């Protein structure tokens, strides 16, 4: 299979917005997209995540820090999971929802699973991201759905997405060229 080449502009996602996405989900996804924009402004890759409590209030946010921390595991979701685990502990995290600007990679999905976070909602799919990044060496995307990783263990994690694909893709405009 020939990898896609990087491109800018709207992403023609093969997946329409998930009908299970609520207005609250859209609002929190926009929060995650704002964090992704902050990551770019700080010199990092365009990924952001927020954690919401059972009432839907944002309690934590994290951006990608791969470049500034010189850490290949510094993805927004893993950074958020580390902070959430320390602040809330595993017993509480089942009631929380992680919102992310892009479907988590296999590593991040594993971290979400192990943390015990109960729900994950994403904007852009990994396939949408691959369409934007192509074979860029700083983003070797995998064709592995987060839902498969998150629900291959002994506990089920609710997964919703995609939604707001074009808004999430805008954070990546010009970045991977």
């Amino acid at each position: 299979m020939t990898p896609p080449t990087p491109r800018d502009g709207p992403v023609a996602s093969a997946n329409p917005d998930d009908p299970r996405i609520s207005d609250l989900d859209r609002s929190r996804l926009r929060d995650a997209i704002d964090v992704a924009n902050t990551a770019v402004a700080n010199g990092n890759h365009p990924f952001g995540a927020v954690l919401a409590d059972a009432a839907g209030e944002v309690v934590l946010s994290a951006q990608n820090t791969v470049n500034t921390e010189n850490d290949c595991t510094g993805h927004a979701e893993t950074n958020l999971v580390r902070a959430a685990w320390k602040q809330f502990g595993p017993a509480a995290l089942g009631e929380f929802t992680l919102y992310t600007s892009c479907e988590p990679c296999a590593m991040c999905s594993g971290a979400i699973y192990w943390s015990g976070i109960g729900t994950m909602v994403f904007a852009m799919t990994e396939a949408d991201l691959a369409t934007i990044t192509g074979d860029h060496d700083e983003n070797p995307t995998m064709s592995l759905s987060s839902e498969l990783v998150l629900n291959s263990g002994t506990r089920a994690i609710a997964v919703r997405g995609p939604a707001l694909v074009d808004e999430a893709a805008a954070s990546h405009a010009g970045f991977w060229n």
Side-chain angles (χ1 to χ4, degrees), residues 23-140:
D23 288 341
L24 176 63
D25 289 337
R26 283 182 181 80
S27 181
R28 296 294 79 87
L29 285 171
R30 286 186 175 106
D31 293 336
I33 293 165
D34 288 345
V35 175
N37 292 330
T38 300
V40 172
N42 290 336
N44 288 296
H45 296 167
F47 301 100
V50 299
L51 188 70
D53 62 17
E57 296 298 317
V58 173
V59 294
L60 287 173
S61 67
Q63 61 184 275
N64 177 288
T65 57
V66 167
N67 292 336
T68 55
E69 297 294 325
N70 194 31
D71 178 1
C72 67
T73 68
H75 293 194
E77 300 90 349
T78 54
N79 290 338
L80 188 67
V81 165
R82 285 183 196 109
W85 181 271
K86 288 176 185 174
Q87 185 166 337
F88 299 106
L93 288 175
E95 300 299 317
F96 288 74
T97 300
L98 186 150
Y99 292 90
T100 182
S101 61
C102 187
E103 182 177 14
C105 70
M107 175 185 70
C108 292
S109 294
I112 294 165
Y113 174 82
W114 287 110
S115 75
I117 290 170
T119 303
M120 187 275 295
V121 182
F122 64 92
M124 192 168 52
T125 68
E126 188 78 0
D128 294 330
L129 178 62
T131 299
I132 294 170
T133 65
D135 62 351
H136 197 285
D137 62 353
E138 289 186 33
N139 194 54

